[in-house]
Amino acid sequence: LEMVDSMEKRNLNRKTALNLTSIGLLIAVIVINIITIIMQTQIAEAGWVEFMRELELMQEFIRNLGNRWLIVFAIMIVYAVRSFLPIPYPFLIIMTGVMFRPVNALIINTVGFCVVTVISYWFGRVTKGGFALKQLNKYENVKLVLLSNKGKTKLSILVASRIIPAIPINLVSNMYGGMKYPFIKFMIASVIGFAPKIVAYTLMGGNIAQPFTWEFMAPIIILLLLTSVVTFGVNEALEKRKEGHENDEH
């Protein structure tokens, strides 16, 4: 009975956490929309004109720097270091968007993400995922999502885990490596799942000189909506799976 109560409590905590995340993201979308609309007014916009002009000059200066390949190499090094240190992904992706034209920045950020993912996957494979599973014990709700299929994990969960913000990216890669999950399938699903973030943050960086405009805000609004829908969908899928298991037991 105590074990059943413990499982019920953990499922309730997971459901509450994911629902709160989904609701929080929707609230963030509403707030961002309101701020953007307010900043479109002439009075508010007038105060930003000079600031935006300075940002445009800074962006052009950065984009016209020489040794572009050297900069790309430096970015790849930072991404590689990201495999072991908690450097925020949004910062890396946005800064690359600031320094390069959108198409080039998207390619660089995608390659950079692949570098991190490959290193993390093979680190997990070498260590047999022990480090990841040990760390996942600190994230009970995350563990319940990733290992919700009788201790195994599905491809759809991998894609979703790249979108849901509460799930540590490197730990997931370590875990899949430790499970010896097929590498090609793992990489394709990871890139697909993380692509919305790469696109959104890159476009934000490209439009950094135009804050509080729809060009800057639209990508993050779409990303937040998508993340909210995916988070809610994962929660509902886990609830249905739980109900199915309970019916099978009865």
Side-chain angles (χ1 to χ4, degrees):
L1 287 175
E2 290 181 1
M3 187 177 293
V4 172
D5 289 342
S6 176
M7 286 295 296
E8 288 292 333
K9 186 176 181 180
R10 284 191 295 173
N11 280 319
L12 182 61
N13 289 339
R14 184 262 306 158
K15 181 179 180 181
T16 302
L18 289 178
N19 277 336
L20 287 175
T21 300
S22 183
I23 293 170
L25 290 168
L26 289 175
I27 292 173
V29 168
I30 295 171
V31 171
I32 290 172
N33 271 291
I34 292 172
I35 292 174
T36 305
I37 291 170
I38 292 173
M39 293 307 296
Q40 297 299 308
T41 62
Q42 290 184 351
I43 296 175
E45 190 176 359
W48 282 91
V49 170
E50 189 61 32
F51 176 67
M52 290 166 67
R53 187 177 297 127
E54 292 295 327
L55 284 177
E56 287 177 355
L57 291 173
M58 179 194 73
Q59 188 176 37
E60 284 303 313
F61 172 77
I62 294 173
R63 287 182 173 179
N64 291 325
L65 289 173
N67 300 319
R68 307 298 288 169
W69 288 108
L70 185 60
I71 296 174
V72 173
F73 178 74
I75 291 172
M76 291 301 119
I77 293 296
V78 175
Y79 267 109
V81 172
R82 173 62 180 79
S83 302
F84 304 100
L85 296 178
I87 302 171
Y89 267 113
F91 173 77
L92 281 177
I93 299 172
I94 290 172
M95 287 309 299
T96 303
V98 171
M99 292 187 283
F100 293 89
R101 305 293 174 186
V103 174
N104 295 335
L106 284 171
I107 294 172
I108 293 168
N109 281 323
T110 302
V111 173
F113 172 73
C114 289
V115 168
V116 177
T117 306
V118 168
I119 293 174
S120 298
Y121 174 90
W122 286 104
F123 177 77
R125 189 133 182 178
V126 170
T127 60
K128 298 182 180 180
F131 173 77
L133 291 174
K134 186 183 295 184
Q135 292 297 309
L136 279 174
N137 288 328
K138 301 177 183 178
Y139 302 91
E140 191 64 32
N141 289 321
V142 173
K143 189 175 181 180
L144 286 171
V145 172
L146 293 176
L147 302 178
S148 58
N149 191 31
K150 296 181 179 179
K152 300 179 181 179
T153 186
K154 296 175 66 177
L155 190 65
S156 57
I157 292 295
L158 172 57
V159 175
S161 72
R162 298 309 194 187
I163 300 174
I164 299 174
I167 300 180
I169 293 174
N170 286 358
L171 288 182
V172 173
S173 299
N174 292 160
M175 189 185 76
Y176 273 79
M179 293 166 54
K180 295 185 178 179
Y181 197 85
F183 178 68
I184 300 299
K185 285 176 64 177
F186 165 78
M187 288 300 299
I188 292 173
S190 293
V191 172
I192 290 173
F194 201 71
K197 293 183 179 180
I198 293 176
V199 173
Y201 293 138
T202 299
L203 293 178
M204 285 179 67
N207 292 291
I208 197 73
Q210 299 174 320
F212 300 112
T213 62
W214 290 115
E215 289 81 2
F216 180 86
M217 291 295 191
I220 197 63
I221 290 173
I222 294 172
L223 176 62
L224 289 172
L225 285 172
L226 175 64
T227 305
S228 178
V229 170
V230 170
T231 303
F232 181 77
V234 167
N235 207 16
E236 289 300 304
L238 293 178
E239 281 298 302
K240 288 182 180 179
R241 184 176 299 167
K242 175 174 169 284
E243 291 173 2
H245 289 163
E246 290 175 349
N247 292 334
D248 291 339
E249 290 175 359
H250 292 305

